Amino acid sequence: MRDPRYDILFEPVRIGPVTAKNRFYQVPQCNGMGYRDPTAHATMRGIKAEGGWGVVCTEQAEIHHTSEITPFIEQRIWDDQDIPALRRTVDAIHAHGALAGIELAYNGMNGSNLYTREVPMGPSHLPVATFTHDPYQARAMDKRDIANLRRWHKAAALRAKRAGFDIVYVYAAHGLGTLHHFLSRRFNQRSDEYGGSLENRTRLIRELIEDTREVVGDQCGVVFRMSLDELMGPVGLHRDEAHDLIGLIGDLPDLWDVTLAGWENDSTTSRFEQEGYQEPFVTGIKKLTAKPVVGVGRFTSPDLMVRLVRQGVLDMIGAARPSIADPFLPRKVEEGRIEDIRECIGCNICVSGDFTMSPIRCTQNPTMGEEWRRGWHPEKIAPKGSDDKVLVIGAGPAGLEATLALGQRGYEVMLAEAGRELGGRVSLESRLPGLSAWNRVRDYRVFRLKQMANVQICLDSPLSADDVMGFGFEHVAVATGAHWRRDGVARWATLPVPVAAGAEVLTPDDLMQGGRPQGRQVLLYDDDHYYMGGVLAELLAKEGYEVTLATPAADVSNWTHATLEQARIQKRLLQLGVRLRPHRGLLGIDPEGAQLACVFTGDEERLPCTATVLVTAKLPHDALYHGLLAQQAHWAEAGLRSVTLIGDANAPAPIAAAVYAGHKYARGLDGPEDTGDSVPFLREVAQLVPWTAAPPA
Ligand code: ADP
Ligand code: SF4
């Protein structure tokens, strides 16, 4: 069973009046479900508790209707109506012996109150600090507002206690929420006893911790969450000041939950930070307080966790993303199954769920967010529904995941891959700058597949429709992927862009397979807007090419706002000397350069270059699939019953979508056919209140 060197991770930790059974702590984590999808949320948290986390928290819970962050979907604890949904989450967590925590948040100037239309409040008169630059200002809170906030926070804490939570947060982290704004001199420009000195800026925090303890302290641990650094030097909250603060109120909370601010510095992707990257900031905190400390850092290695505990850096191992990629991480450590841990790749597709207001998804864990609505458990899957044999063609993320889940169900599976390497696009992309952790998508699956007697893997096997018809498999999944277009078609130009004879045009596939421009002056045209354009510009700039990145968007890698990476990508490219031409569409390419147009005025400009890299749309490899469909009349005699197109071969999308498609295929095999005539998953529909008044005339 458990390796004794990990015993320390399973020691109980006292948090005020409650005790966590071990040191594994799922810190508050947004998920795009919140108040809209309460049962889906409760089930997801319950599965983490089942997976062994000693503490499982909600995401931030808005404590009051004067502070909500529409359009983002978080928890709400505005009044008693919200208690039953929260209690459902608590019950799901308690069912597996974990402590349930709730992160109470007064967002203040982080929300425009677009739903309630209340006037936002903050420490000072300042524009709201929302992700969407809404044209509203927060007004400075007066003493009555502060007294109100203290009363509202107390009421919310009491509701949390009544819902059954064991841990109640006072939240001042990430640059999100009023308490952070009161603390940080950037926002707090007050001259009363709540502004100025650190002691004054800490006053409201102290009061809310004391208030919370007064109303729930008999039953609940009171956790204070703060950021140790805003990473902007003395202008913002910084490490020295944060340490002084902990010196001031070190023993007031029952536990310190420490992070970096803003969210992009806390949930940093693997492209920019390694596992454990927050250690330098957290080191030394424990000397300032007698209370336990939890911190994060995309921890997936139990050895690192043990070191941090042994060296007195942390008492509890905080995790959001590692608990998403593998809700059963603690159990796997406990059961001596370290190599079974599905390690987070640090891509932040999970975060994009919050930014797109859609239920959380995960590249590594296709069941994340689907626990309730599709009944998918991350560790359990139904046994096979027949003795049919399955051929999976293509070993990219879709094919690998389909094969793995089919193998787990007990099917006889053959995975045929044209190339000499497994992993498809993941193997290629993980060789690009900063993306090496993405190979975990391949490695996790390949390791498992190699142990399955019912799975056969064939490399160097490019299959044709005739090959497949001759094999005798009952089911075929076609996961043959896609390639990048060479004609400029994407969002701005939906028809091919003229390319004159002799012009050198490359695609991401060319570069990933080792091709390079012949000349040094390269135009990289990005009408894809996710990571690929920025990554390839970085690659070429580091290799000494003179790179101009043109894009119809306002900034580079625009969609990476949803993965919290955009600012870092743009900074890196600027520092590498990449010239940026935003708001530019591509009109044509010739051997001496490219013709660009302003996307607003149409004004044209000439950009001299010796080669153009087109990061535009993709085309699916679906010829094999259509070849098989063309022979449908002969399927019965070949013993073939179904042919299904999955992943990028069906419609190109992020890797997470391919993994999901592979998993969905495997779960659905031998199940009822999804004809699209009914909704194939559960959903919660708003319950109507009794009609008490006539609608307005
Ligand atoms: P996805 O993201 O949908 O999994 P990828 O492009 O990552 O797609 O992977 C597709 C894989 O399919 C590649 O490894 C490719 O070599 C393989 N492939 C494509 N066509 C065939 C074929 N006809 N026979 C076998 N393998 C194929
Ligand atoms: Fe990790 Fe990516 Fe999954 Fe988020 S989506 S938990 S970053 S693998």
Side-chain angles (χ1 to χ4, degrees):
M1 292 289 277
R2 180 167 90 214
D3 185 326
R5 72 178 190 269
Y6 303 135
D7 285 354
I8 195 169
L9 300 175
F10 293 88
E11 291 170 353
V13 180
R14 203 160 157 196
I15 306 170
V18 296
T19 301
K21 66 179 175 185
N22 59 34
R23 298 185 189 269
F24 291 95
Y25 191 113
Q26 184 245 276
V27 292
Q29 158 240 318
C30 299
N31 55 81
M33 298 201 284
Y35 67 84
R36 186 193 54 202
D37 303 307
T39 302
H41 177 262
T43 311
M44 180 266 284
R45 300 288 184 203
I47 280 185
K48 292 197 192 186
E50 185 188 348
W53 298 86
V55 178
V56 178
C57 296
T58 64
E59 62 274 50
Q60 59 167 304
E62 299 165 353
I63 65 162
H64 199 256
H65 63 275
T66 58
S67 172
E68 47 90 10
I69 55 168
T70 302
F72 293 91
I73 296 171
E74 312 298 329
Q75 289 299 340
R76 284 182 178 161
I77 186 161
W78 293 1
D79 64 19
D80 288 0
Q81 290 188 83
D82 294 312
I83 291 179
L86 292 166
R87 187 175 289 138
R88 183 164 287 191
T89 292
V90 170
D91 291 346
I93 295 169
H94 283 172
H96 299 284
L99 298 179
I102 182 166
E103 183 179 74
L104 300 183
Y106 191 80
N107 299 100
M109 58 179 289
N110 274 128
S112 308
N113 291 338
L114 297 172
Y115 177 73
T116 62
R117 304 187 68 174
E118 299 285 352
V119 173
M121 296 188 287
S124 314
H125 291 296
L126 277 173
V128 291
T130 59
F131 290 108
T132 39
H133 305 296
D134 305 310
Y136 295 88
Q137 285 209 182
R139 70 172 172 81
M141 294 167 81
D142 62 22
K143 296 288 171 48
R144 199 180 45 172
D145 297 321
I146 290 176
N148 284 342
L149 173 56
R150 291 184 61 180
R151 203 177 60 254
W152 299 336
H153 198 278
K154 261 185 175 179
L158 265 175
R159 270 183 229 113
K161 178 166 138 180
R162 281 169 48 213
F165 284 100
D166 311 286
I167 286 172
V168 177
Y169 267 73
V170 176
Y171 177 55
H174 299 122
L176 302 173
T178 288
L179 289 183
H180 184 112
H181 304 139
F182 268 82
L183 187 57
S184 176
R185 276 170 297 162
R186 294 194 292 140
F187 302 107
N188 186 339
Q189 295 148 17
R190 303 175 74 92
S191 52
D192 64 3
E193 67 268 34
Y194 288 93
S197 67
L198 178 65
E199 193 153 10
N200 280 358
R201 284 180 278 126
T202 310
R203 189 176 308 277
L204 187 56
I205 289 172
R206 180 193 288 276
E207 288 171 348
L208 288 197
I209 296 175
E210 285 169 353
D211 290 347
T212 306
R213 179 179 306 295
E214 181 191 321
V215 290
V216 306
D218 56 329
Q219 214 175 287
C220 311
V222 178
V223 175
F224 179 54
R225 193 178 204 199
M226 72 169 290
S227 288
L228 299 169
D229 207 315
E230 293 184 305
L231 301 185
M232 48 178 60
V235 183
L237 180 68
H238 55 92
R239 194 169 177 270
D240 294 345
E241 207 176 30
H243 283 213
D244 289 346
L245 180 150
I246 299 171
L248 283 178
I249 58 166
D251 291 343
L252 209 54
D254 295 317
L255 177 133
W256 286 85
D257 178 341
V258 288
T259 70
L260 292 176
W263 189 10
E264 69 283 3
N265 293 324
D266 184 16
S267 296
T268 313
T269 58
S270 57
R271 187 169 164 190
F272 294 98
E273 295 288 359
Q274 300 298 313
E275 180 179 357
Y277 55 95
Q278 299 198 19
E279 184 180 344
F281 297 91
V282 181
T283 301
I285 301 290
K286 273 186 56 59
K287 292 202 179 73
L288 304 169
T289 171
K291 299 300 173 75
V293 176
V294 61
V296 292
R298 230 174 47 243
F299 298 126
T300 54
S301 153
D303 290 303
L304 175 60
M305 300 175 194
V306 166
R307 178 176 71 70
L308 291 172
V309 175
R310 284 211 187 286
Q311 291 183 348
V313 178
L314 294 174
D315 297 287
M316 304 200 75
I317 302 301
R321 290 171 293 177
S323 76
I324 296 166
D326 197 339
F328 273 59
L329 186 152
R331 272 257 212 130
K332 289 176 183 177
V333 179
E334 187 160 29
E335 292 170 4
R337 296 192 290 129
I338 305 298
E339 67 289 347
D340 279 351
I341 294 172
R342 195 167 41 239
E343 290 184 295
C344 167
I345 70 165
C347 64
N348 278 7
I349 279 291
C350 48
V351 173
S352 79
D354 202 49
F355 273 93
T356 54
M357 297 92 207
S358 40
I360 188 167
R361 60 220 47 217
C362 170
T363 302
Q364 275 285 57
N365 174 9
T367 68
M368 178 47 54
E370 307 294 338
E371 298 86 351
W372 175 70
R373 68 174 181 178
R374 288 192 188 268
W376 291 358
H377 189 283
E379 300 296 314
K380 296 178 202 156
I381 193 162
K384 64 183 181 178
S386 71
D387 289 331
D388 289 351
K389 294 180 296 310
V390 190
L391 171 65
V392 177
I393 307 171
L400 285 175
E401 176 61 24
T403 308
L404 176 61
L406 288 167
Q408 286 167 335
R409 292 190 64 189
Y411 285 98
E412 292 288 325
V413 195
M414 180 191 277
L415 173 62
E417 163 57 44
R420 297 198 168 153
E421 186 180 31
L422 299 171
R425 62 182 283 193
V426 165
S427 293
L428 293 170
E429 292 181 21
S430 60
R431 292 183 193 121
L432 294 173
L435 303 188
S436 61
W438 292 20
N439 61 19
R440 292 174 170 182
V441 172
R442 173 197 64 206
D443 294 346
Y444 167 77
R445 290 168 176 82
V446 171
F447 178 76
R448 239 138 237 93
L449 289 175
K450 293 210 162 142
Q451 298 163 42
M452 289 181 170
N454 53 330
V455 170
Q456 191 190 344
I457 300 177
C458 304
L459 290 171
D460 272 327
S461 307
L463 300 187
S464 66
D466 289 340
D467 293 333
V468 175
M469 291 297 289
F471 282 159
F473 286 92
E474 283 86 356
H475 302 283
V476 177
V478 181
T480 42
H483 66 272
W484 291 88
R485 294 183 74 131
R486 204 176 279 282
D487 57 6
V489 168
R491 293 175 166 82
W492 193 74
T494 52
L495 294 172
V497 172
V499 179
E504 189 184 10
V505 171
L506 296 101
T507 69
D509 294 316
D510 297 330
L511 294 181
M512 286 191 286
Q513 278 148 13
R516 289 293 181 269
Q518 284 171 20
R520 305 312 290 171
Q521 268 183 308
V522 181
L523 165 66
L524 188 143
Y525 177 66
D526 184 2
D527 197 14
D528 168 60
H529 309 288
Y530 193 16
Y531 55 89
M532 186 58 81
V535 168
L536 292 181
E538 180 179 340
L539 173 88
L540 292 171
K542 283 179 171 163
E543 290 183 4
Y545 292 90
E546 287 170 38
V547 183
T548 301
L549 190 156
T551 174
D555 49 17
V556 303
S557 300
N558 181 271
W559 199 77
T560 63
H561 283 285
T563 56
L564 301 170
E565 294 173 288
Q566 197 283 328
R568 283 181 192 251
I569 295 172
Q570 188 135 351
K571 179 177 170 189
R572 183 169 284 181
L573 295 190
L574 290 169
Q575 288 175 336
L576 285 168
V578 174
R579 282 186 295 270
L580 304 182
R581 295 300 289 149
H583 300 145
R584 294 295 181 276
L586 180 65
L587 293 174
I589 309 168
D590 58 62
E592 278 83 44
Q595 199 69 10
L596 302 174
C598 170
V599 296
F600 302 111
T601 64
D603 289 351
E604 294 190 19
E605 76 184 46
R606 176 85 187 150
L607 195 113
C609 60
T610 49
T612 302
V613 176
L614 291 175
V615 185
T616 49
K618 290 181 180 176
L619 279 173
H621 294 149
D622 54 4
L624 172 58
Y625 173 73
H626 288 294
L628 287 167
L629 287 194
Q631 300 194 43
Q632 196 156 5
H634 305 290
W635 284 11
E637 62 204 72
L640 187 56
R641 290 180 47 212
S642 78
V643 178
T644 310
L645 190 59
I646 59 172
D648 285 357
N650 191 16
I655 295 166
V659 174
Y660 173 80
H663 195 81
K664 184 166 175 243
Y665 170 77
R667 290 254 180 190
L669 196 69
D670 288 320
E673 192 189 354
D674 180 4
T675 57
D677 292 331
S678 57
V679 180
F681 51 80
L682 301 172
R683 66 195 178 115
E684 256 160 346
V685 178
Q687 210 176 6
L688 294 179
V689 296
W691 193 261
T692 50

